[in-house]
Amino acid sequence: MGIIEKEEHKKKLFIITWWIISIWETLLRSKVKPLWTDELMTYFLATDASFKHMLKATWDGIDGMFPLYYIASWLVVRLGDPTICLRLLSLISLCWGFTLLWNELGKKYELKELIIGFLVVTWMGSLWNIYSYEARAYGLLAGLVAVATAISIKLERENSGSNKWKLRITLALLCATHPLGILYGGAIATAKTALELGKKEKTKIKIIEEIISLHLLSWATFLALTPMLVNQKDLVT
């Protein structure tokens, strides 16, 4: 086995170990940590016997979230214990996104650099320690942000139509998960714009056209779900 093959083997071993420890940690925490107020809202919606009734409650703005997370939650609680299933949904969403990001960054950085950065962001980061075992939409949201970032990095290396559509769909899923998805998508658009301007290979008009093309689906998704925010406002008042 050559040096490159050994390095790739170590990267795979690390990410597998990280998955196992993360799942084990979430299962342990789920046994001792009861659901708190916001998680109970997720629990009641996800365990609703009627899928249609759950969607209606979500559309009426009962929790201020967009529907994708509750659709996923409603499906996963049918697999077993609702509390564990909901918290594993958050964890697996994060692990999936960060694994894709790990794979893309692994093409540029060495193993030691990857591990240090990865552990600082995940196990030492407040976002990870809170959202990796919380039955709320933020685990899915952060996981999709990681997926979108990974695809954006890959798009710089492989400017293919399939990668563009993967990014469009992921950004739309972001906006279908939480209202903040539009802001994270905007951050990605800003970063890509700055990168393209720095290259000076395209005209400003061409860059704007590409950004609109990549984000049009997500903007349309957000606008289509905006009435849910109005419904929530009416519900509160």
Side-chain angles (χ1 to χ4, degrees), residues 42-43 45-47 51 54 68-93 135-136 140:
T42 302
Y43 180 91
L45 285 168
T47 56
F51 180 75
M54 179 274 293
L68 181 62
Y69 172 70
Y70 291 112
I71 293 172
S73 297
W74 193 90
L75 293 173
V76 300
V77 297
R78 269 68 196 164
L79 301 177
D81 180 88
T83 299
I84 293 176
C85 287
L86 288 171
R87 287 176 170 169
L88 282 178
L89 173 61
S90 294
L91 175 73
I92 291 173
S93 299
R136 296 295 286 162
L140 178 59

Side-chain angles (χ1 to χ4, degrees), residues 34-224:
L35 295 171
W36 67 290
T37 308
D38 284 9
E39 286 183 301
L40 286 173
M41 180 64 74
T42 302
Y43 180 91
F44 291 137
L45 285 168
T47 56
D48 193 326
S50 169
F51 180 75
K52 183 178 179 180
H53 183 266
M54 179 274 293
L55 279 183
K56 178 65 167 57
T58 304
W59 181 260
D60 288 341
I62 194 169
D63 196 29
M65 305 284 190
F66 285 166
L68 181 62
Y69 172 70
Y70 291 112
I71 293 172
S73 297
W74 193 90
L75 293 173
V76 300
V77 297
R78 269 68 196 164
L79 301 177
D81 180 88
T83 299
I84 293 176
C85 287
L86 288 171
R87 287 176 170 169
L88 282 178
L89 173 61
S90 294
L91 175 73
I92 291 173
S93 299
L94 278 167
C95 286
W96 169 55
F98 275 82
T99 299
L100 293 180
L101 191 56
W102 166 277
N103 289 335
E104 286 304 315
L105 294 175
K107 294 178 173 64
K108 182 176 181 180
Y109 297 100
E110 295 182 358
L111 181 61
K112 291 181 180 179
E113 296 170 329
L114 277 175
I115 290 177
I116 292 172
F118 208 70
L119 293 181
V120 167
V121 172
T122 57
W123 287 342
M124 294 177 65
S126 59
L127 181 147
W128 184 273
N129 288 323
I130 295 173
Y131 299 142
S132 63
Y133 64 93
E134 189 175 77
R136 296 295 286 162
Y138 305 108
L140 178 59
L141 180 69
L144 286 170
V145 170
V147 173
T149 305
I151 297 173
S152 297
I153 295 172
K154 187 175 182 179
L155 188 59
E156 288 301 311
R157 190 179 67 256
E158 301 174 18
N159 190 20
S160 65
S162 62
N163 285 334
K164 289 179 180 178
W165 272 108
K166 288 176 183 177
L167 183 57
R168 290 185 184 109
I169 293 171
T170 303
L171 292 172
L173 292 176
L174 257 179
C175 288
T177 300
H178 193 283
L180 289 176
I182 194 72
L183 297 181
Y184 289 115
I188 291 173
T190 302
K192 183 169 179 56
T193 301
L195 183 63
E196 293 295 342
L197 288 173
K199 290 180 180 178
K200 297 181 180 179
E201 296 175 353
K202 303 173 183 176
T203 64
K204 292 182 180 180
I205 297 298
K206 182 65 176 177
I207 293 172
I208 292 173
E209 288 176 350
E210 289 186 358
I211 295 298
I212 292 175
S213 171
L214 289 172
H215 292 264
L216 190 59
L217 182 60
S218 62
W219 296 340
T221 301
F222 180 81
L223 288 174

